[in-house]
């Protein structure tokens, strides 16, 4: 098992600011109160168990991770202790309604498995030759319906298996065998003055069909999405390489994000994105700019979330493009994404009010029987600014004082 210290080493070679002398974090203005009360981990587990069993993973740190076989092997939530605040977003109204087979079975969960791309001629989320609009959007049923088989489990891990059949907008069919392992992470801890929980999803897909997956007929990717409860002061922090290639940010997925909600610091190599669940927007960073880490900070909860993922040095097949349009470059997509929920249009509701942090594997050109993997790791740390500051600098390359300013 890789130690927590690997979270730091993953980004140290490329973080623009980590070699600066340590500075004392500047005082920040008082944090506003959270926008809603946070349920405890025990409360959320009790709620989930009303409809289906829940697997609880435990770590030596006292952290707890709740995983649902019935809800497609999702990590539904986690906490620094069994009595601690629940850190994932769970969609209570949708689960209570007992729905399934909708355009998006939005159960919530802070680590779920999907396949990309979403839109475009090779997209999986629109029936063949339908318009790329909300009315046509349909999450593949195989990804969001039915319980996943449990292959093995113990106190710190659970492994799921699922074989699914999906079809692209162009009509190409794919048979995909998925093996997904969720682990509570062990290893060296953050500072003693903080509390923390860490987990990873290790996701493997195999071409279970008889034909190779090719660029000409469309490639898939492993796509991991984490959903979190918003707050008025929550900010997603996305580092990028200032000297890299390609656009710094793609923020045109659902209309350009206004500058008061997305601040891009081109010289310093990071951007801050408002994560309040009040206005819909999505951003992405391509392979020429993306770092292998990103995260979020919520001062009112004293909560720093750090996400790392497997990012190969070279991705010969590129990354799938999920834009909702016909695409001149279907393999010029993004590696990481962040999404803030909000109304889908004037007078329309939101998808539930949350924010997301996402990572993707490269496009997968797999021969029959060939397998590819993508690992996505989440670390939540709760503590005072003095204990969180070194982690933010080391993993994200930014001071928390700059994030909150």
């Amino acid at each position: 098992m890789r130690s927590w210290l690997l979270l730091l080493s993953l980004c140290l070679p490329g973080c623009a600011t980590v070699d600066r002398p340590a500075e004392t974090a500047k005082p920040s203005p008082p944090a506003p109160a959270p926008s809603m009360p946070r349920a405890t981990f025990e409360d959320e587990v009790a709620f989930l168990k009303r409809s289906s069993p829940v697997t609880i993973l435990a770590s030596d740190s006292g952290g707890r991770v709740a995983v649902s076989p019935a809800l497609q092997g999702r990590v539904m939530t986690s906490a620094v202790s069994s009595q601690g605040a629940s850190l994932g977003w769970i969609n209570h109204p949708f689960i209570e309604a007992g729905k399934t087979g909708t355009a998006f079975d939005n159960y919530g969960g802070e680590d779920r498995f999907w396949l990309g791309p979403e839109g475009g001629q090779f997209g999986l989320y629109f029936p063949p030759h339908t318009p790329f609009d909300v009315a046509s959007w349909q999450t593949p049923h195989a990804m969001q319906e039915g319980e996943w088989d449990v292959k093995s489990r113990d106190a710190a891990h659970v492994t799921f298996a699922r074989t699914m059949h999906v079809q692209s907008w162009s009509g190409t069919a794919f048979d995909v065998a998925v093996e997904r392992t969720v682990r509570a992470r062990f290893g060296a801890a953050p500072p003693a003055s903080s509390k923390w929980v860490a987990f990873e999803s290790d996701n493997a897909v195999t071409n279970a069909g008889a034909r190779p997956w090719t660029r000409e007929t469309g490639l898939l990717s492993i796509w991991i999405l984490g959903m979190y409860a918003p707050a008025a002061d929550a900010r997603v922090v996305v580092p990028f390489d200032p000297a890299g290639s390609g656009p710094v940010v793609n923020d045109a997925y659902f209309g350009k994000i206004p500058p008061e909600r997305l601040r891009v610091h081109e010289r310093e190599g990071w951007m801050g994105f408002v994560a309040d669940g009040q206005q819909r927007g999505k951003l992405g960073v391509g392979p020429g700019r993306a770092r292998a880490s990103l995260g979020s900070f919520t001062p009112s909860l004293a909560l720093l979330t750090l996400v790392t993922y497997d990012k190969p040095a070279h991705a010969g097949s590129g990354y799938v493009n999920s834009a909702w349009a016909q695409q001149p470059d279907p393999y010029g997509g993004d590696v990481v994404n962040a999404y803030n929920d909000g109304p889908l249009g004037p007078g329309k509701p939101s998808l539930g009010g949350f924010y997301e942090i996402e990572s993707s594997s490269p496009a997968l050109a797999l021969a029959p029987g060939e397998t590819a993997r993508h690992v996505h790791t989440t670390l939540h740390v709760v503590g005072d600014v003095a204990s969180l500051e070194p982690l933010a600098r080391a993993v994200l390359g930014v001071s928390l004082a700059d994030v909150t300013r």
Side-chain angles (χ1 to χ4, degrees):
M1 179 70 69
R2 295 174 294 177
S3 77
W4 169 84
L5 288 176
L6 184 55
L7 288 169
L8 303 182
S9 65
L10 280 172
C11 79
L12 283 176
C15 288
T17 60
V18 294
D19 291 328
R20 298 182 309 185
E23 300 174 9
T24 302
K26 301 178 180 67
S28 301
S35 58
M36 63 187 71
R38 300 289 173 124
T40 69
F41 180 80
E42 289 185 337
D43 290 339
E44 294 289 56
V45 169
F47 168 76
L48 293 169
K49 284 184 175 179
R50 293 174 201 161
S51 55
S52 59
V54 179
T55 298
I56 306 300
L57 307 180
S59 68
D60 288 345
S61 70
R64 296 290 185 270
V65 181
V67 188
S68 174
L71 302 182
Q72 300 79 53
R74 300 173 192 231
V75 177
M76 295 303 296
T77 190
S78 64
V80 299
S81 69
S82 59
Q83 295 80 36
S86 174
L87 300 175
W89 182 80
I90 296 176
N91 193 348
H92 282 232
F94 189 87
I95 293 174
E96 289 172 332
K99 296 179 181 179
T100 189
T102 69
F104 173 30
D105 286 358
N106 188 11
Y107 302 110
E110 59 175 312
D111 186 310
R112 76 177 185 272
F113 176 92
W114 269 7
L115 294 168
E118 185 173 8
Q121 56 267 45
F122 300 138
L124 305 177
Y125 296 72
F126 295 87
H129 307 293
T130 57
F132 295 112
D133 56 26
V134 172
S136 302
W137 180 53
Q138 174 63 63
T139 305
H141 296 283
M143 291 184 208
Q144 64 176 7
E145 299 172 29
E147 183 169 348
W148 285 30
D149 295 331
V150 176
K151 290 186 63 176
S152 64
R153 73 173 70 178
D154 59 24
H157 96 282
V158 57
T159 297
F160 301 97
R162 174 82 160 188
T163 299
M164 57 182 65
H165 180 85
V166 294
Q167 185 180 35
S168 74
W169 184 91
S170 299
T172 302
F174 298 86
D175 293 301
V176 186
V178 182
E179 184 172 292
R180 169 175 163 86
T181 298
V182 178
R183 301 184 183 93
R185 293 289 298 268
F186 296 90
S193 58
S194 63
K195 296 183 178 180
W196 60 281
V197 60
F199 61 89
E200 71 178 14
S201 67
D202 186 340
N203 306 274
V205 300
T206 300
N207 180 350
R211 67 164 188 87
W213 299 348
T214 66
R215 293 174 64 87
E216 292 72 27
T217 55
L219 300 178
L220 308 182
S221 68
I222 301 169
W223 185 11
I224 305 301
L225 306 94
M227 306 174 83
Y228 308 98
D233 62 334
R235 301 291 183 268
V236 175
V237 180
V238 185
F240 60 86
D241 184 355
S245 60
V248 169
V249 60
N250 170 18
D251 68 341
Y253 279 90
F254 302 120
K256 190 169 181 62
I257 301 171
E260 66 270 18
R261 302 187 69 86
L262 174 63
R263 297 294 178 89
V264 180
H265 305 269
E266 292 202 34
R267 286 184 56 194
E268 295 84 358
W270 67 278
M271 65 188 80
F273 180 35
V274 175
D276 59 1
Q278 298 298 311
Q279 184 170 323
R280 193 178 195 218
K282 181 173 180 176
L283 63 85
V285 181
R289 297 279 188 174
R291 303 289 193 188
S293 60
L294 65 166
S296 64
F297 179 51
T298 306
S300 58
L301 300 176
L303 171 64
L304 177 65
T305 296
L306 301 173
V307 171
T308 62
Y309 63 96
D310 289 344
K311 182 178 183 291
H314 303 285
S317 297
Y319 285 81
V320 300
N321 190 339
S322 283
W324 290 21
Q326 286 276 1
Q327 301 160 358
D329 184 5
Y331 303 107
D334 295 321
V335 184
V336 295
N337 297 96
Y339 172 81
N340 185 59
D341 196 30
L344 299 180
K348 295 182 179 180
S350 69
L351 294 175
F354 55 87
Y355 73 93
E356 285 183 319
I357 294 175
E358 312 167 9
S359 75
S360 294
S361 75
L364 304 176
L366 301 182
E370 190 175 2
T371 300
R373 297 172 62 236
H374 181 71
V375 179
H376 180 104
T377 300
T378 304
L379 169 67
H380 298 294
V381 188
V382 177
D384 57 35
V385 172
S387 63
L388 301 180
E389 176 74 10
L391 300 177
R393 284 186 174 277
V395 180
L396 303 176
V398 63
S399 168
L400 295 179
D402 291 333
V403 174
T404 57
R405 184 173 298 117

